[in-house]
Amino acid sequence: MHEILTDYPLDDCNSFGFRARSRLVVRVRSEDDLKSALADPGLANLPRRLIGGGSNIVLSSDFDGVTLLMRIAGRRLVEAHADHWIVEAAAGETWHDFVRWTLEEGYPGLENLALIPGTVGASPVQNIGAYGIELADRFDSLRAFDTTSGSFVTFGREDCAFAYRDSVFKHRPGRYVVTSVRFRLPRPWQPVLTYPDIAATFRDAASVTPEAVFDEIVAVRSRKLPDPARIGNAGSFFQNPIVPAEQHGRLKADHPALGGYPQADGRMKLSAAWLIEQSGFKGTRLGHVGVYDRHALILVNHGGGSAAEIVALATRIKDGVKAKFGVQLVEEPVFL
Ligand code: EPU
């Protein structure tokens, strides 16, 4: 049975570290907690929101409703087949701890996604990705509570409509609450060393181990990205824009240093960090917030910042990049 907490501070529940309170909070520790909280007539008419790790949100104000904090724990091997393992983690597990556990238990395959902040339950929503792998590449299925039908449902890979930083869940906010995710990890393990930063370290692919890739990813990320425990941030603040090939060609003619990653559909993915840096924003500050000086894609709270300041800075960046390159940046975090 769920327990209801009142006037609860959310400062530790969002990785920007913004100050905000929720009138009511339920810490969801089991599927039964979730079902009973959603069926509670005392909560039924209140606005409701769900927070996992809070690493992809911008909290703007106190919330006069009920916040569900996803805290369901658990991870296990479900099946061992000759050519793959199926492992499962509950939605409230910390993503990075889960990745480390899979390696310790001998089920490699998620190591390129090490040190991504957030929870397992949030990972399919934006189809987290880094260093040549997306969650979709290792996804098997997930279990979610459908708040419309009032029952648990299973989503296979096709049902999720995964794309770059996108899934069906992003387009139906509030409808589904993910409670566990299953991963399909291919056997034998093959390293994914397509990303230039990583490939340079491992010239001899035959002797690479999953642990070595994990350690390297952790080292690279720690060098480039701020630790949210020390400097508030929400990871990449903008998506890398995907533009038609003709537009990329025109931009490249004006800016020969512009990169681009060809997409399966013929379009080109640009580096938002590069566009932002070239527009002069890297390391700049606005009030208590700013653009991280080691990575232009990361907006940071230097302490005492607010969502309003982040929105003002993001607007300046979008306007600046649009004026210089004619490219529209789109934010990655969800504004609450
Ligand atoms: N670059 C700059 N200036 C910078 C940083 C980068 O010009 O300050 C340029 C460089 O040319 C670099 C290129 O941008 O080669 C790409 O940079 P990086 O390798 O850091 O990757 P990214 O495209 O900026 C994406 C993800 C990250 C993920 C990395 C590694 C998005 C929105 N971001 O960043 O994900 O870790 O690739 O795979 O797709 C996140 O989503 O929170 C996140 C950190």
Side-chain angles (χ1 to χ4, degrees):
M1 184 64 187
H2 63 284
E3 180 194 355
I4 300 172
L5 307 164
T6 54
D7 190 28
Y8 192 91
L10 298 175
D11 312 15
D12 294 339
C13 303
N14 75 101
S15 62
F16 266 120
F18 292 150
R19 306 201 65 155
R21 304 183 82 84
S22 180
R23 184 171 138 201
L24 303 174
V25 155
V26 173
R27 285 188 298 228
V28 174
R29 296 205 172 96
S30 65
E31 290 189 346
D32 283 342
D33 276 356
L34 178 67
K35 267 171 77 175
S36 67
L38 292 174
D40 184 336
L43 304 177
N45 295 320
L46 293 172
R48 185 177 68 222
R49 61 161 66 143
L50 180 91
I51 298 181
S55 56
N56 198 44
I57 57 173
V58 181
L59 274 187
S60 60
S61 59
D62 292 344
F63 182 56
D64 191 22
V66 54
T67 302
L68 306 178
L69 297 178
M70 176 48 71
R71 297 290 182 260
I72 308 178
R75 49 203 185 190
R76 67 191 177 107
L77 175 69
V78 179
E79 291 165 12
H81 297 272
D83 63 347
H84 68 275
W85 290 281
I86 302 286
V87 291
E88 180 183 272
E93 289 286 337
T94 299
W95 174 262
H96 179 67
D97 294 345
F98 169 60
V99 172
R100 192 169 32 210
W101 174 84
T102 58
L103 293 190
E104 284 165 3
E105 298 293 312
Y107 319 126
L110 296 174
E111 55 285 339
N112 290 47
L113 303 177
L115 215 61
I116 294 182
T119 52
V120 167
S123 65
V125 178
Q126 58 159 322
N127 183 22
I128 58 169
Y131 303 104
I133 295 190
E134 284 184 344
L135 177 112
D137 301 325
R138 298 286 182 266
F139 181 85
D140 176 68
S141 59
L142 64 75
R143 188 170 145 88
F145 189 73
D146 180 351
T147 59
T148 302
S149 71
S151 57
F152 282 95
V153 284
T154 300
F155 281 77
R157 204 168 173 283
E158 299 304 313
D159 306 321
C160 297
F162 289 123
Y164 169 64
R165 291 295 192 274
D166 198 25
S167 75
V168 70
F169 308 105
K170 239 176 143 165
H171 301 276
R172 313 238 170 99
R175 171 149 181 192
Y176 299 103
V177 180
V178 176
T179 55
S180 64
V181 185
R182 288 185 176 188
F183 299 87
R184 186 189 173 97
L185 307 175
R187 292 173 81 171
W189 174 77
Q190 299 273 355
V192 176
L193 304 174
T194 48
Y195 209 82
D197 290 19
I198 308 302
T201 310
F202 300 106
R203 298 236 168 70
D204 175 19
S207 63
V208 179
T209 63
E211 291 75 18
V213 176
F214 176 90
D215 290 344
E216 179 61 15
I217 301 279
V218 169
V220 169
R221 289 188 74 100
S222 306
R223 275 200 298 274
K224 283 198 196 181
L225 308 173
D227 174 1
R230 294 179 48 240
I231 306 177
N233 76 91
S236 298
F237 197 84
F238 298 100
Q239 297 179 18
N240 285 329
I242 300 175
V243 301
E246 310 81 71
Q247 188 181 356
H248 175 261
R250 284 197 305 275
L251 279 168
K252 182 98 183 154
D254 290 343
H255 309 276
L258 177 80
Y261 311 92
Q263 303 297 292
D265 62 7
R267 293 185 299 160
M268 287 290 247
K269 193 197 269 178
L270 308 180
S271 160
W274 189 87
L275 298 171
I276 295 168
E277 180 169 348
Q278 297 302 311
S279 303
F281 290 105
K282 190 171 180 174
T284 59
R285 285 177 85 126
L286 179 67
H288 304 87
V289 303
V291 180
Y292 193 50
D293 56 4
R294 275 187 267 163
H295 201 301
L297 200 45
I298 316 289
L299 301 196
V300 296
N301 174 12
H302 289 295
S306 66
E309 287 179 315
I310 283 287
V311 170
L313 177 60
T315 304
R316 268 195 203 183
I317 293 171
K318 287 195 293 182
D319 291 350
V321 168
K322 179 89 186 171
K324 189 169 168 74
F325 296 102
V327 174
Q328 184 66 55
L329 293 182
V330 173
E331 287 92 345
E332 175 49 39
V334 178
F335 292 77
L336 292 176

